[in-house]
Amino acid sequence: METLLFLVDGRTPNQLRPLTCSRNVLNRIHGSASWSQGDTKVVAAIYGPKSGTKKGENLEKACIEVIWKPKTGQSGKPEKEYEMILRRTLQSICLLNIHPNTTTSVIVRVVNDDDALLPCAINASCAALVDVGIPLNHLAVAICCGVVESGFVILDPSKIEEQKMKAFVHLVFPNSVLSVLPEESLHVGDEAKEHGLISSVTHGRMSVDDYLHCLERGRAASAKLSAFLRKNLQSQVPSNT
Amino acid sequence: MEDKASTSPASFINQAVVPGDVVLDLTNFSNQTIKLGGGLYQDSDAISVMKAGKLKFSKPNKYWVESSQKRYVPCVEDHVLGIVVDSRSDNFLVDIKGPALAFLPVLAFEGGTRRNIPRFEAGTLLYVRVVKANVGMNPELSCMDASGKAAEFGPLKDGYMFESSTGLSRMLLSSPTCSILEALGKKVSFEIAVGLNGRVWVNAESPSNIILVSNAIMRSESLSRVQQQIMVDKLFQRIQGS
């Protein structure tokens, strides 16, 4: 018999925390966005594209550099890891050959940390990239899924819930797109394109079945996140009068 | 959320689109030429969106995404406001809020010869025209129009320059004259230069008029035509009242 699991703040396991997103929050920055999921809040600021790349980078492509600033304290190893993951994720969604030999700096500042920090940062950076106007081939939506001892999967856990979990995984999916093409042409092999996976970072031990469960739940949630992001971006499009 | 199956391209025109949306299927346009403007790119047989904005179409075959940013993507024949950063022997380096610094050849002035090269200090504001804007290269500017005349290009003296978004610049330059400029022009006389790269320069007789006009323009971006008119009326009522 299945027992109903309610999370600390009264959500069901399939419910996401309240989301808010605002763009153009910082005045002198070329593009910025803030994203919050429940109590976790992250602000991403983007400068660029600026001319010149760092040494050793490909001159035919744009270069993205990420600076992660934690809420308190100095940047250490965990921050460097976040920077690397964020950089690889953003590199895969940007069209890098439109502005060759340029550098775009993404600065992520953690305002409040209530877990699911990396997905929040990825979502904020993606919204900020749209604000700057950097060409993207699709948007990225990120979600955190946790696995409890019994094998149950919970979406978007907060810090209290995270302590009860044996493992969790951060997943980044491309957004759902509207298209004029018939559905089949958007499929790669048997799967729809939007069911692809951009990044996946796991912590802790979980079985393969648990991981596949997380993927499924994450995909379903990414559709909701996609719709939220699309609505948010549309509402800030200036209307002609 | 599933993809909409075979929606016609007409349904995307004047709709807000986000990066990743596929808006045109090239297999329907077998023998025609299509011109793509900013924000769209070709992905084998389909045209996809790169920037979030509104998809626009102009007959017979031009498609583009209209969006408003703080930074500028250089395009040929745009009139922009640049700030001189440095000068070299054969060109000036000018910042036009784009990915790379632009070059302004020292001879690109009306009647320009090696003997009368203008001297611009760093920080001089110039109204210039973009002549070349290729991917990966620094854009090239000119202070002459296509026929070689000066035509109002060159340094702008006095006045006040402020930054805006590219969307606001386009609105100020739209024809018929946009409502905010018309309304302000009826009450106060001023001179204005609008750069498509998101810079606006305003000059008037007294500093208070300059500030009035600049603030009114900065606040008018999100307002409709009627709201802009009302805002200007209220502004002048407050000034005359005090």
Side-chain angles (χ1 to χ4, degrees):
Chain A
M1 175 120 137
E2 275 215 25
T3 50
L4 276 175
L5 184 67
F6 281 102
L7 300 170
V8 172
D9 51 0
R11 293 186 284 144
T12 60
N14 258 344
Q15 237 180 321
L16 299 170
R17 289 180 285 179
L19 299 167
T20 61
C21 169
S22 29
R23 290 189 298 144
N24 204 5
V25 291
L26 300 169
N27 267 334
R28 291 203 167 274
I29 313 285
H30 299 161
S32 54
S34 88
W35 183 284
S36 71
Q37 286 175 212
D39 280 331
T40 310
K41 186 167 176 186
V42 174
V43 175
I46 301 202
Y47 284 104
K50 297 176 288 190
S51 59
T53 46
K54 295 197 282 198
K55 261 190 184 169
E57 296 285 343
N58 191 352
L59 288 176
E60 312 258 328
K61 293 201 165 153
C63 165
I64 300 185
E65 69 166 336
V66 180
I67 300 170
W68 182 289
K69 295 194 186 252
K71 181 176 177 189
T72 51
Q74 299 270 7
S75 300
K77 296 253 170 63
E79 282 74 35
K80 285 271 177 304
E81 190 188 342
Y82 286 147
E83 281 175 15
M84 187 208 74
I85 298 172
L86 195 56
R87 181 169 186 243
R88 308 261 294 259
T89 307
L90 294 179
Q91 270 179 336
S92 76
I93 64 170
C94 289
L95 287 166
L96 296 174
N97 49 356
I98 306 278
H99 293 299
N101 200 18
T102 58
T103 306
T104 305
S105 305
V106 181
I107 298 155
V108 175
R109 157 69 74 182
V110 177
V111 175
N112 197 22
D113 181 8
D114 189 24
D115 208 41
L117 201 50
L118 188 59
C120 204
I122 293 176
N123 290 327
S125 312
C126 186
L129 281 177
V130 172
D131 193 39
V132 180
I134 299 225
L136 304 172
N137 55 20
H138 48 242
L139 298 173
V141 287
I143 186 91
C144 177
C145 302
V147 181
V148 217
E149 283 298 326
S150 53
F152 217 67
V153 171
I154 301 181
L155 284 182
D156 201 14
S158 63
K159 258 224 161 65
I160 307 177
E161 288 138 15
E162 188 212 330
Q163 277 148 14
K164 300 188 208 148
M165 287 186 209
K166 65 173 181 174
F168 57 94
V169 57
H170 301 303
L171 296 165
V172 186
F173 298 99
N175 68 327
S176 349
V177 296
L178 298 177
S179 165
V180 290
L181 297 176
E183 255 185 70
E184 300 83 50
S185 59
L186 284 181
H187 288 197
V188 178
D190 277 334
E191 297 270 346
K193 211 170 182 181
E194 70 200 36
H195 287 179
L197 189 62
I198 301 179
S199 306
S200 153
V201 185
T202 56
H203 293 263
R205 280 170 30 152
M206 61 171 91
S207 67
V208 176
D209 283 328
D210 287 340
Y211 182 71
L212 294 174
H213 270 144
C214 286
L215 273 186
E216 246 180 75
R217 290 289 194 72
R219 272 193 200 125
S222 78
K224 289 186 237 170
L225 275 174
S226 239
F228 169 76
L229 191 54
R230 178 179 288 270
K231 195 149 163 243
N232 197 282
L233 293 176
Q234 283 176 3
S235 65
Q236 294 185 343
V237 167
S239 53
N240 286 340
T241 45
Chain B
M1 196 163 95
E2 274 127 21
D3 298 337
K4 296 201 176 109
S6 300
T7 19
S8 60
S11 69
F12 278 127
I13 311 270
N14 283 327
Q15 297 290 324
V17 287
V18 295
D21 287 349
V22 179
V23 293
L24 278 184
D25 187 0
L26 289 180
T27 53
N28 294 338
F29 293 81
S30 37
N31 265 340
Q32 304 162 28
T33 339
I34 303 181
K35 294 190 182 169
L36 297 180
L40 294 172
Y41 76 105
Q42 182 180 4
D43 186 15
S44 56
D45 243 359
I47 306 290
S48 308
V49 176
M50 309 198 271
K51 293 191 187 177
K54 223 181 214 190
L55 183 67
K56 296 279 204 181
F57 168 65
S58 133
K59 292 203 175 128
N61 54 2
K62 296 187 193 147
Y63 294 90
W64 73 97
V65 175
E66 203 159 278
S67 57
S68 175
Q69 264 94 35
K70 283 188 187 164
R71 299 294 288 176
Y72 168 66
V73 176
C75 289
V76 186
E77 289 310 321
D78 276 356
H79 296 188
V80 296
L81 258 59
I83 296 183
V84 177
V85 169
D86 199 3
S87 58
R88 297 277 155 81
S89 57
D90 54 350
N91 41 34
F92 297 104
L93 299 181
V94 180
D95 160 48
I96 54 172
K97 285 175 77 172
L101 283 180
F103 293 157
L104 171 63
V106 294
L107 299 177
F109 295 85
E110 184 176 4
T113 60
R114 276 275 151 201
R115 286 166 183 260
N116 59 355
I117 295 177
R119 289 164 172 273
F120 293 137
E121 283 180 358
T124 313
L125 185 65
L126 301 171
Y127 185 61
V128 289
R129 179 177 71 102
V130 179
V131 171
K132 283 191 206 162
N134 296 323
V135 166
M137 289 166 51
N138 299 69
E140 206 180 286
L141 309 170
S142 168
C143 270
M144 295 186 290
D145 63 9
S147 58
K149 303 280 181 214
E152 314 285 338
F153 293 114
L156 295 168
K157 301 212 171 34
D158 305 327
Y160 169 62
M161 188 274 298
F162 60 92
E163 313 239 322
S164 70
S165 65
T166 51
L168 179 60
S169 300
R170 283 196 302 265
M171 184 192 81
L172 291 171
L173 288 171
S174 58
S175 76
T177 319
C178 88
S179 147
I180 183 85
L181 292 178
E182 242 184 87
L184 284 170
K186 286 187 191 145
K187 308 279 174 92
V188 71
S189 72
F190 62 95
E191 204 186 341
I192 185 171
V194 179
L196 278 162
N197 57 339
R199 285 195 175 131
V200 181
W201 172 87
V202 175
N203 195 9
E205 296 94 34
S206 66
S208 53
N209 278 351
I210 299 180
I211 296 172
L212 187 75
V213 171
S214 315
N215 282 340
I217 292 176
M218 281 194 258
R219 277 195 277 161
S220 68
E221 180 163 8
S222 51
L223 304 177
S224 69
R225 292 186 70 91
V226 178
Q227 285 170 327
Q228 285 169 7
Q229 181 76 41
I230 297 174
M231 178 190 73
V232 172
D233 288 337
K234 277 204 190 135
L235 200 59
F236 279 97
Q237 265 170 20
R238 252 212 323 254
I239 300 211
Q240 271 146 21
S242 64

